[in-house]
Amino acid sequence: MNKRRKQLLRELGLSPIWHLKSDTSEQNEISASSLTEIKGSILPPADVTKDTQDSQPIHLMNWDQLKSAVSGCMSCPLSQTRTHTVFGVGDENANWLFVGEGPGAREDAIGEPFVGQAGKLLDQMLAAIRLKRGDQVYITNIVKCRPPNNRNPSSGEARQCEPYLTRQIELINPKLIVALGKVAAQNLLGSEDSISNLRGKIHHYSGIPLIVTYHPAYLLRALPEKAKAWKDLCFAQSTMQSLR
Ligand code: URA
């Protein structure tokens, strides 16, 4: 196995655990073909597919490379049922990053996040704190392909997509992340805590302050909770002001 492949597998946590215990010979190390076979069942993260001569590992990609990798991604079963990948939209140097769960039907049809009813409410929530999509604001999701019937993405699907979101966050380098709803909050924070426990605190994602609020689609069904979301947005705004 060449040095670069060894290093990549080690970084992905796939090496040396997939070596046979009793034999460390070259024959028992993972070959490119066995990785492809394993991919269908164990679903290693999306990065594994990028270990070729002509493509970059995701964590080194620039915006264009990342967009192109996402649009061609076949790393999980959601790729089989999507119409469009939904990469994200907005100011690539934004101070504010809003992260939702995953595309719904309208987003899948158009290829842009939060363009349905929940998106309209999100735009109103942004306007309430004098923000608008595209202006110091970037919006994306935990998964870039629509989970069928708008179910929650599985943890495996979220894990597959994670390297793309991680790289987006590195490239944007926002001052503050707002997690919209339980799926976004739990995946970004690696927590299983309820949204009511996660709200009202400053968490951190790779050193970036992160605040949790309700998902706009939930607020459409639970109107009385809008007051709490308003409180969260004010908290996010004052947190941002304290960071300047
Ligand atoms: N819900 C989400 O979480 N994301 C979208 O893009 C649309 C609806």
Side-chain angles (χ1 to χ4, degrees):
M1 188 188 300
N2 70 35
K3 211 169 144 207
R4 181 168 141 58
R5 172 171 289 280
K6 264 189 190 154
Q7 188 188 356
L8 184 80
L9 291 174
R10 204 173 313 115
E11 277 172 18
L12 294 170
L14 300 176
S15 175
I17 51 170
W18 285 2
H19 291 191
L20 290 183
K21 273 187 195 156
S22 58
D23 192 337
T24 54
S25 72
E26 196 69 14
Q27 288 171 339
N28 284 322
E29 293 183 349
I30 296 171
S31 66
S33 59
S34 63
L35 258 184
T36 314
E37 268 168 39
I38 290 163
K39 204 176 142 227
S41 50
I42 297 185
L43 296 176
D47 248 350
V48 166
T49 62
K50 308 297 170 207
D51 186 26
T52 60
Q53 291 290 320
D54 57 358
S55 68
Q56 289 268 36
I58 293 171
H59 69 278
L60 297 178
M61 286 181 178
N62 63 28
W63 278 111
D64 286 346
Q65 290 165 332
L66 191 61
K67 286 172 191 171
S68 146
V70 167
S71 73
C73 182
M74 303 294 278
S75 295
C76 91
L78 297 183
S79 61
Q80 308 295 312
T81 49
R82 71 174 181 232
T83 309
H84 291 108
T85 53
V86 178
F87 181 77
V89 71
D91 182 346
E92 291 173 357
N93 298 304
N95 285 338
W96 293 82
L97 172 64
F98 289 79
V99 183
E101 177 179 319
R106 297 237 331 135
E107 291 77 17
D108 176 63
I110 292 171
E112 192 174 318
F114 284 100
V115 287
Q117 284 305 311
K120 283 200 187 115
L121 180 54
L122 177 60
D123 286 338
Q124 288 166 10
M125 291 163 73
L126 295 177
I129 49 169
R130 292 191 288 280
L131 292 176
K132 81 171 186 271
R133 175 185 296 245
D135 184 5
Q136 281 303 328
V137 171
Y138 195 92
I139 303 170
T140 190
N141 284 304
I142 294 290
V143 293
K144 312 301 188 213
C145 296
R146 182 191 182 204
N149 304 315
N150 296 345
R151 65 164 170 75
N152 288 352
S154 70
S155 54
E157 290 156 356
R159 212 170 29 247
Q160 278 293 298
C161 230
E162 191 184 341
Y164 298 130
L165 179 59
T166 304
R167 186 61 184 149
Q168 276 177 307
I169 296 175
E170 280 168 2
L171 288 168
I172 298 166
N173 193 20
K175 288 209 166 104
L176 181 68
I177 300 173
V178 179
L180 299 166
K182 186 174 91 167
V183 170
Q186 291 187 340
N187 277 287
L188 286 166
L189 296 173
S191 163
E192 298 200 339
D193 229 344
S194 69
I195 193 140
S196 46
N197 280 341
L198 294 170
R199 287 181 55 245
K201 298 172 190 148
I202 302 178
H203 306 270
H204 286 89
Y205 173 94
S206 290
I208 301 167
L210 183 152
I211 284 172
V212 173
T213 191
Y214 293 107
H215 192 285
Y218 169 75
L219 294 173
L220 290 171
R221 302 191 300 272
L223 294 179
E225 305 288 46
K226 273 192 179 176
K228 293 189 195 160
W230 168 239
K231 208 171 156 194
D232 297 336
L233 290 173
C234 292
F235 179 46
Q237 193 180 38
S238 63
T239 303
M240 177 64 92
Q241 277 157 5
S242 74
L243 296 171
R244 284 173 205 272

